[in-house]
Structure formats: C-alpha cells, structure tokens
Amino acid sequence: MKTIYLDNNATTRIAPEVLEEMMPYLKDYYGNPSSMHTFGGQLHKKIEEAREKVAALLKAKPEEIIFTSCGTESDNTAIMSAVESYPEKKHIITTRVEHPAVMNFCKHLSRKGYRVTFLPVDKSSGQLRIDDLLKALDENTAVVSIMYANNEIGTIYPIQEIGETLKERNILFHTDAVQAVGKIPIDTNKLPVDMLSLSGHKLHAPKGIGALYVRKGTRFYPYLIGGHQEHGRRAGTENTASIIALGKACELAAKNIDDEVIYLSRLRDKLESSLLKLCPDTRINGDINNRLPNTTNISFEYVEGEAILLRLNEYGICASSGSACTSGSLEPSHVLRAIGVPFTAIHGSVRFSLSRYNTEEEIDKVIEVMPNIIKDLRMLSPFGRDKLPQECR
Ligand SMILES: *Cc1c(COP(=O)(O)O)cnc(C)c1O
C-alpha cells in the first residue's frame, strides 16, 4: 500500500535534491571544518555557501544566520539570549498557542523567577489582539516571543504589526517561524523581528538541523558555550552534511515558493471544502483568512480523533489529531483549548498538512474514504446517539 503522507507539519520528507547534495559529506568529506588541513578546511566554504542560501530565503545577511541542532534549540537560544542580555528585565511575553519549544521553556523560566505572560487568543480563529499585547508590556519586559504560524491550526499571526509596535518601544522580538519558513515568503528587510527560528525537517531537510536568524546589532548571548564555531555564538562541531542540506532545502524553497503556495492552497481547499460538504457536523479550527496554505484542522463532532487516525491508517493515510494520547501526551491539545473548541470537537479534530509531494489523486482518495469513516464511527459514538445528525442514527 502506498503511503499518503498528510502530516507535513510534524515532519517532511527529505527532498531528493537535498539528499543528493548532502550525501558526499556523510561519506567522503568527513573532515572537521575547523581543521588546518585542506581536507577539513574546505568544508568551511561549503558551510558559508549554505549560510548564504538560508539567508537568501529570508532576505537576510549571511552573518545573521546561526546554525543550530533544531527548531527547539533555536527557540530556547533566542529566549535565553534575550534574558541574559537584559539581566535587569524579568518579564517575558508569549502566547497560549506556542509550540512546546517556546511554551515549556517559558514555563521553565517562570519557575526560575521570571514573570511570564501567556497572551490569550480569539475563539475559533486563534488570532491575537494587539491590545492584549500592549496591556501586557511594561518596562520589565525583556522579550516578546510569538510564533509566525501555528503548527496545529495554521493561523498566521500579525508579526509585521506586532514587530512595529515593539520596535517603537525598543523591546526584543523573537518569532518561532518554524512552520512558516519555506511555506510563505518572509522578508527580514521589511519584517521588524530581532530573532527568528527555523527548522530543517519542516522544509524537506533532515531532522536535527535548525537555524536562528539574529538581526545585525541585536545583543546576543550564546546558549551552547564551548568552541569558537559560528563565531562563538553556538559552540559544537558543525553538522556539516545537514547544514549543506538545509542550504539546499532553502534554495529549493526560495525557487518554488510562489507556485507552491498556489498549488498547496488549491489542494488543501479542495480537501477541506469536500470534507465539510460530505460530512455533517464538522468545523474548521483556525483563521481561514490568515492561514498557512498547506494546513487544515477539522473537527468532526461526536467522534474520537484517534479512531479516525486508525481508520485512515488502514488506507495508508497519515494525519494527526489534537485529541489526547495521539500526540504522546494525556492532555488534549493546548492550542484547541486556547481557541475555545468545545470538548467533543477537540476530541474529533484531525489535522491534514500537505507538501509539494502530495498529488491530487491522494487528496481525492481521502475525500473518498473519509465520509464513510466518519459515518461508521458516529454509529459507535460514546457521546450520545441522540446528539447525532439524523442520517447517522
Ligand atoms: C516542529 C516545531 C518546532 C520544533 O522544531 P524541532 O526541529 O523539531 O526541534 C518548533 N516550533 C514549531 C512551530 C514547530 O512546528
């Protein structure tokens, strides 16, 4: 059975071009880029070329890019750098819908004596209100960290507007752009952010490589301390092959991004509108006017997300769910709770996230099998058959 992979916000396939580019650096060119000899030293040049490609995707300068081991490290580094750089400031602002890489790091800091404000978001759309941010700011605020786009619901946040507000007040601004980079255009010349995180495996590079953009002139304090790699901003021998891979992945993304936005949103919209039409009592979670082109999060009332995923799995279809357990945690999604999705709908939520490698036939297959899966499961629903729509009773 062929896999239909619709879980690209969890991780992506390595692009064949990326794999080809990185392979020689796993096999033959294994030197240390810091070595004096040519065998190692030549890798230094390859790393700098990769840095230029990552920078180009963000319209940044190469020296503004620091390679890290993952999106999580980039997020932790950015926030830690901010609080280390402004030791007198003990307040951090973030949101209730961040990825655990930001959310749990901020919770950790709150146990270390920092005050953390978790901004609420609007019902259903998950949007932020700038007013809430303004009310939370004070002279003690060291950093504001707000994600560019949400991994679960795809909502895109008003990073431009937030950045302008913070720039006027001279407050550091970090954005976790792991889900946005490579999916939608980002121009750091125009976007007033000081730091921005990205991760390789969310844009067709391997797992275990990330980068942090740090605007020139921003105070920076390293998180990993040791050797002089990355100009002393991130110690540790470079993951050469993966850095080269990330460079290639960014180059591919930059080349194709406009076409992919159109391609992915067309497929996503087809999937979404068909499922909404064919399955009664469904709703979309997230901001349909401001959303990643590849993501849809749909709640199917009265059914368990896990059950849906298991049934989809029988057809080789991979998706993910916001309900308990599937994500390896006992709590249902903090994002869906933050946007006020009712209990029954959280448990029946399914996220489909597409990539350039999905085809229309694959989407048609999901549209074909899903209505029957939902109908079957609703017959068995523990949430009360009397609540079920007439045709499913
Ligand atoms: C995946 C993800 C991360 C973490 O990236 P890793 O490379 O897996 O550590 C952080 N933030 C968001 C929004 C993500 O989707």
Side-chain angles (χ1 to χ4, degrees):
M1 187 171 45
K2 209 175 137 268
T3 297
I4 299 179
Y5 188 74
L6 297 170
D7 201 10
N8 288 279
N9 287 9
T11 196
T12 60
R13 152 188 193 169
I14 301 181
E17 300 92 327
V18 168
L19 191 62
E20 197 188 340
E21 185 97 355
M22 77 185 287
M23 276 312 262
Y25 302 92
L26 289 169
K27 282 169 67 186
D28 304 324
Y29 303 104
Y30 51 81
N32 188 322
S34 300
S35 296
M36 286 297 293
H37 44 74
T38 315
F39 183 66
Q42 64 185 346
L43 296 173
H44 188 75
K45 194 165 148 266
K46 295 298 295 183
I47 290 175
E48 293 318 306
E49 282 170 23
R51 199 185 309 280
E52 280 166 25
K53 291 174 186 171
V54 176
L57 178 60
L58 304 174
K59 306 243 186 327
K61 302 177 187 69
E63 64 268 28
E64 293 176 317
I65 304 299
I66 302 172
F67 290 114
T68 66
S69 69
C70 59
T72 302
E73 186 191 324
S74 298
D75 286 340
N76 284 205
T77 301
I79 296 166
M80 203 61 203
S81 169
V83 300
E84 294 269 25
S85 299
Y86 295 90
E88 69 289 357
K89 298 186 175 181
K90 301 283 184 204
H91 180 221
I92 299 163
I93 299 176
T94 183
T95 76
R96 291 187 192 168
V97 292
E98 297 299 315
H99 186 276
V102 168
M103 175 82 86
N104 288 340
F105 194 67
C106 287
K107 285 184 183 164
H108 166 74
L109 290 176
S110 77
R111 291 188 291 269
K112 298 270 176 200
Y114 290 89
R115 189 159 51 85
V116 183
T117 305
F118 295 93
L119 298 173
V121 294
D122 280 350
K123 277 212 175 344
S124 176
S125 74
Q127 265 307 346
L128 276 171
R129 264 164 295 179
I130 304 277
D131 261 6
D132 290 330
L133 171 62
L134 290 177
K135 271 186 261 164
L137 288 171
D138 61 40
E139 66 284 355
N140 252 319
T141 308
V143 61
V144 175
S145 179
I146 293 175
M147 67 193 338
Y148 201 115
N150 187 276
N151 45 308
E152 291 190 38
I153 56 177
T155 295
I156 297 173
Y157 292 95
I159 299 303
Q160 183 75 31
E161 199 181 342
I162 294 168
E164 282 162 13
T165 300
L166 294 173
K167 205 172 163 190
E168 278 168 27
R169 292 165 178 77
N170 239 328
I171 294 172
L172 271 188
F173 183 28
H174 165 248
T175 185
D176 172 350
V178 169
Q179 288 294 343
V181 173
K183 293 193 182 112
I184 50 175
I186 293 180
D187 182 346
T188 54
N189 279 319
K190 304 202 181 105
L191 195 72
V193 299
D194 301 302
M195 293 182 277
L196 179 150
S197 303
L198 64 97
S199 171
H201 75 101
K202 304 288 172 76
L203 72 147
H204 305 292
K207 295 160 188 65
I209 183 71
L212 179 65
Y213 160 88
V214 181
R215 185 179 297 280
K216 215 175 164 185
T218 304
R219 281 199 211 174
F220 184 79
Y221 196 90
Y223 192 54
L224 288 195
I225 296 171
H228 59 267
Q229 293 91 354
E230 301 294 285
H231 294 282
R233 294 182 299 178
R234 197 276 186 185
T237 302
E238 297 88 340
N239 184 353
T240 318
S242 292
I243 288 173
I244 291 165
L246 179 59
K248 184 66 183 180
C250 287
E251 183 182 78
L252 287 177
K255 199 165 77 191
N256 302 324
I257 202 159
D258 294 333
D259 293 341
E260 282 181 13
V261 166
I262 296 167
Y263 179 70
L264 290 174
S265 50
R266 187 178 68 78
L267 286 190
R268 188 268 317 269
D269 290 348
K270 180 179 186 185
L271 174 65
E272 186 176 82
S273 60
S274 305
L275 294 183
L276 250 55
K277 201 167 72 207
L278 297 170
C279 309
D281 288 290
T282 48
R283 49 190 273 170
I284 302 171
N285 301 311
D287 186 351
I288 53 166
N289 300 313
N290 253 311
R291 210 167 28 148
L292 290 173
N294 78 320
T295 308
T296 175
N297 187 309
I298 307 177
S299 282
F300 299 88
E301 294 263 13
Y302 319 118
V303 279
E304 284 286 339
E306 287 96 328
I308 301 174
L309 294 189
L310 287 174
R311 294 291 303 274
L312 286 173
N313 193 48
E314 290 168 18
Y315 296 95
I317 299 167
C318 310
S320 74
S321 149
S323 57
C325 305
T326 47
S327 47
S329 98
L330 293 173
E331 291 284 307
S333 155
H334 68 286
V335 175
L336 298 181
R337 277 184 297 158
I339 68 172
V341 179
F343 174 83
T344 52
I346 286 191
H347 284 272
S349 78
V350 176
R351 178 189 71 188
F352 297 100
S353 47
L354 286 60
S355 84
R356 68 170 78 116
Y357 298 112
N358 290 122
T359 62
E360 183 132 17
E361 293 75 64
E362 292 179 328
I363 298 304
D364 290 341
K365 181 75 187 172
V366 180
I367 296 169
E368 182 196 317
V369 303
M370 196 67 170
N372 282 330
I373 291 177
I374 299 301
K375 212 165 157 182
D376 276 5
L377 292 173
R378 278 182 178 159
M379 305 247 271
L380 309 165
S381 172
F383 297 118
R385 274 160 59 90
D386 51 350
K387 290 210 205 86
L388 293 183
Q390 192 66 44
E391 63 273 26
C392 298
R393 273 180 214 165

